[in-house]
Each structure stands twice: as structure tokens, then as C-alpha cells.
């Protein structure tokens, strides 16, 4: 399974950005999709995630400002980021916990990662 992330960029404080993350491959299903972020000199932290059933989890620092959603039919997740702050500046990584079948019909589970995307919040 491959993840293609899009979005990100430079935005002024108080602005908004939207990420999308599309999964592609054969015979798989997404169990959970979400985003982590890593600021310079810091560890990678969970920002938000959404389960296949629609359950969501957010980091305390983004609650009320970020909204995660998904389109299961398109295997795509979205992260709407509003009221951005300078401390939101980081490289954002989408991920998906995937369950699928190999060519020999063996079940596998894995974690797929998209390419990192830089978000810079600055005036």
C-alpha cells in the first residue's frame, strides 16, 4: 500500500491549511488513518487519527482547531487545520494501519507512511 499526501505550505498565524492522504494498492482495507508531526529537534507526535468506523482522536494541542475526516470509498483521509499557530510548524506525516491480502492470500497487517510535508506558520 502506498500513501500519497498533498497539502501543506506556508501560512500566516490564524490561517488554514488542508491535507489529504490517498492510499492505493491491491486488496487492502484501512483500519486507522492519521497524521503525525515532527518539529525540529522534537520527537514525532500524533496529531489526529480516525478509525474505519469514524472514531477520532486528537492531540490536546489541536483540539477544536483541527478536524480529521475520511472518505472510505476513496481510501482517502483529510486533515483540516484552522487557526494555525507558529507552534504548529512541523513536518507532517500521514499514516495508515492497513490490513490486506498477499498474492498468496495470506493476511498481513502493516503501517504505511506518506511522504513528509512541511507546514510553516509564520508572519
Amino acid at each position: 500500500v502506498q500513501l500519497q499526501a498533498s497539502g501543506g505550505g506556508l501560512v500566516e498565524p490564524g490561517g488554514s491549511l488542508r491535507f489529504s492522504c490517498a492510499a492505493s494498492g491491491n486488496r487492502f482495507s484501512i483500519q486507522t488513518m492519521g497524521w503525525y508531526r515532527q518539529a525540529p529537534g522534537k520527537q514525532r507526535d500524533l496529531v489526529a487519527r480516525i478509525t474505519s468506523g469514524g472514531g477520532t482522536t486528537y492531540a490536546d494541542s489541536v483540539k477544536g482547531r483541527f478536524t480529521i475526516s475520511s472518505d472510505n470509498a476513496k481510501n482517502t483521509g483529510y486533515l483540516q487545520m484552522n487557526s494555525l499557530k507558529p507552534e504548529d510548524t512541523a513536518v507532517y506525516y500521514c499514516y495508515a494501519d492497513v490490513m490486506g491480502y498477499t498474492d498468496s492470500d495470506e493476511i498481513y497487517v502493516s503501517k504505511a507512511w506518506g511522504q513528509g510535508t512541511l507546514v510553516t506558520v509564520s508572519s
Side-chain angles (χ1 to χ4, degrees):
V1 174
Q2 294 184 328
L3 300 184
Q4 180 65 47
S6 62
L10 173 64
V11 65
E12 294 185 346
S16 298
L17 287 172
R18 186 174 189 245
F19 278 123
S20 65
C21 183
S24 62
N26 294 319
R27 299 204 299 167
F28 72 96
S29 62
I30 296 172
Q31 307 305 299
T32 304
M33 180 174 272
W35 275 263
Y36 279 77
R37 68 185 180 186
Q38 186 167 22
K42 296 187 176 181
Q43 66 181 20
R44 189 177 296 189
D45 292 323
L46 179 70
V47 177
R49 63 186 174 205
I50 186 167
T51 69
S52 58
T56 56
T57 302
Y58 295 93
D60 288 341
S61 59
V62 307
K63 284 181 181 177
R65 301 188 297 122
F66 291 12
T67 302
I68 190 168
S69 61
S70 65
D71 184 335
N72 293 339
K74 295 181 178 180
N75 289 318
T76 300
Y78 306 95
L79 184 67
Q80 178 67 42
M81 303 184 291
N82 298 328
S83 303
L84 283 160
K85 305 176 180 180
E87 50 264 43
D88 294 317
T89 295
V91 176
Y92 286 69
Y93 300 88
C94 70
Y95 82 94
D97 292 316
V98 175
M99 183 177 73
Y101 293 87
T102 67
D103 290 342
S104 55
D105 290 333
E106 294 178 340
I107 296 174
Y108 71 88
V109 292
S110 67
K111 193 177 220 78
W113 291 93
Q115 76 275 20
T117 304
L118 178 63
V119 170
T120 303
V121 184
S122 175
S123 54

